[in-house]
Amino acid sequence: MTTTTDHALPARPKDPEPKPFGPGSILWDEIGLYLSAIAGNSAFILQAMHPAIGTVVDKMSSFRTDPVGRAVRSFASVQTWVYGGQTAIEEGRRLREMHRPLSAVDEKGRRHHALSAEPWAWVHLSGYYATVTASRYFSRTPMTLERERQIFEEFLNLGRILQVPERMLPRTVSDYWVYFDDMVTGTLVPHKVAHEVLEQMDKVPPTVPAWLRPLLVPFSLTGGRFARFVTVGTLPEAARRKLGLTWTPADERKLQALGAAIGRTVPLLPERLAYMPIAYRARQAARAHQRLQDALAHRPI
């Protein structure tokens, strides 16, 4: 009888656990700003240009029939990722479960699943590009290599909150930009959903009552054109080319001037006006909790 000795294999390193965000992180200060709702729109266009994401959104999303409601729900979810504490972890699980059954067939007969590793990772990782780019244009804080690295580390944690497979997360900032350029040039397509989202920006939403629509047209044109201008300007040039969008040196100078003016103005606004509701309440609660901890630390004993 031959006896075989089992040799224990080295334990596989455990994937890092997601950690709720809090004061001191860059995303805590940036993601909840109303400005991010405009400055981050380039991420939605980049996501819609992915064949799988564009197909699922085209067939199953309410972006045509209820664009405002869909946007409100999306921004509330994004705020929850950063400001929700333990609820952020639960929101990541909820999103995975919500997207699990979603799949659709494109015009070529190919079936795409919302939870396939590549598109699920791209939804998240395109946000890093949008955050860094928006910060370069609209933040008063210079985009140093250290700041970019910190944002990247925070996005890795955010990816874990959203249950992006660890193998899909780039290891370094340099790895990320190689991955990003490869995705933009080799995977993204000029999907019709991306074009539709851009075209909707300066139109009154279809859910607005007919009697109110004429009153809102001027506001939609002004705000929508501004949002579209910022969105096009913050897309990578390769994506603009694929979508057939023009961007001139004069446009770039205008965006830089707008960004500098907004970057100086936003920090002067009261926090209630600068931040979306979930972010504002979370920041209030964090300060109140810190005051309580300070009082307890200095209580008479």
Side-chain angles (χ1 to χ4, degrees):
M1 178 178 179
T2 303
T3 302
T4 302
T5 304
D6 291 330
H7 296 281
L9 296 174
R12 179 182 179 274
K14 188 177 180 181
D15 291 341
E17 291 293 324
K19 300 176 183 177
F21 287 93
S25 63
I26 294 175
L27 295 187
W28 182 267
D29 289 334
E30 300 282 344
I31 291 296
L33 291 167
Y34 279 108
L35 174 63
S36 71
I38 296 175
N41 273 340
S42 59
F44 293 112
I45 302 301
L46 291 170
Q47 291 160 18
M49 292 177 71
H50 190 288
I53 300 167
T55 298
V56 173
V57 170
D58 179 36
K59 305 296 184 182
M60 312 193 75
S61 174
S62 60
F63 85 98
R64 294 187 183 96
T65 57
D66 185 22
V68 174
R70 184 179 185 276
V72 169
R73 291 188 294 273
S74 295
F75 283 115
S77 184
V78 171
Q79 288 185 79
T80 304
W81 306 345
V82 175
Y83 301 101
Q86 189 58 38
T87 304
I89 312 299
E90 297 164 6
E91 177 70 358
R93 297 192 191 103
R94 184 188 74 84
L95 289 174
R96 291 279 301 187
E97 288 304 311
M98 184 181 78
H99 286 84
R100 191 176 301 281
L102 301 185
S103 67
V105 178
D106 64 19
E107 289 81 356
K108 296 182 179 179
R110 297 172 299 190
R111 178 166 292 279
H112 300 280
H113 297 272
L115 278 191
S116 294
E118 183 189 275
W120 187 254
W122 179 244
V123 167
H124 165 59
L125 291 169
S126 58
Y128 175 72
Y129 165 84
T131 300
V132 169
T133 302
S135 187
R136 285 185 174 132
Y137 280 105
F138 298 103
S139 176
R140 287 199 305 181
T141 305
M143 179 50 70
T144 61
L145 290 176
E146 176 56 29
R147 181 175 174 84
E148 186 174 356
R149 186 202 61 78
Q150 183 179 340
I151 296 173
F152 177 74
E153 292 298 327
E154 292 178 15
F155 257 84
L156 291 181
N157 181 58
L158 186 56
R160 291 164 188 138
I161 288 175
L162 299 176
Q163 299 187 5
V164 174
E166 194 71 23
R167 71 181 188 279
M168 301 302 296
L169 297 175
R171 297 294 92 192
T172 66
V173 173
S174 296
D175 291 340
Y176 173 85
W177 290 117
V178 172
Y179 156 83
F180 180 82
D181 290 342
D182 182 63
M183 287 293 293
V184 172
T185 58
T187 300
L188 301 194
V189 298
H191 202 284
K192 65 179 181 181
V193 170
H195 285 290
E196 285 187 56
V197 172
L198 286 168
E199 290 168 3
Q200 281 185 355
M201 285 184 175
D202 57 358
K203 292 181 172 59
V204 178
T207 51
V208 172
W211 64 269
L212 187 56
R213 296 176 70 84
L215 300 176
L216 294 182
V217 166
F219 299 100
S220 293
L221 287 175
T222 302
R225 285 172 180 169
F226 172 70
R228 190 180 191 281
F229 177 77
V230 171
T231 301
V232 173
T234 51
L235 283 171
E237 179 57 32
R240 284 198 292 258
R241 286 197 303 270
K242 286 192 174 186
L243 292 169
L245 302 171
T246 59
W247 188 254
T248 67
D251 291 330
E252 180 63 22
R253 290 191 295 271
K254 182 178 179 181
L255 181 58
Q256 290 180 6
L258 279 170
I262 292 171
R264 290 191 296 268
T265 302
V266 169
L268 303 178
L269 294 175
E271 193 173 52
R272 183 186 290 273
L273 297 180
Y275 283 90
M276 289 181 264
I278 292 174
Y280 172 67
R281 296 299 182 190
R283 292 168 67 85
Q284 274 192 319
R287 287 193 295 270
H289 178 73
Q290 186 58 55
R291 287 195 294 269
L292 172 60
Q293 295 305 307
D294 292 343
L296 291 173
H298 296 91
R299 70 190 186 278
I301 297 178

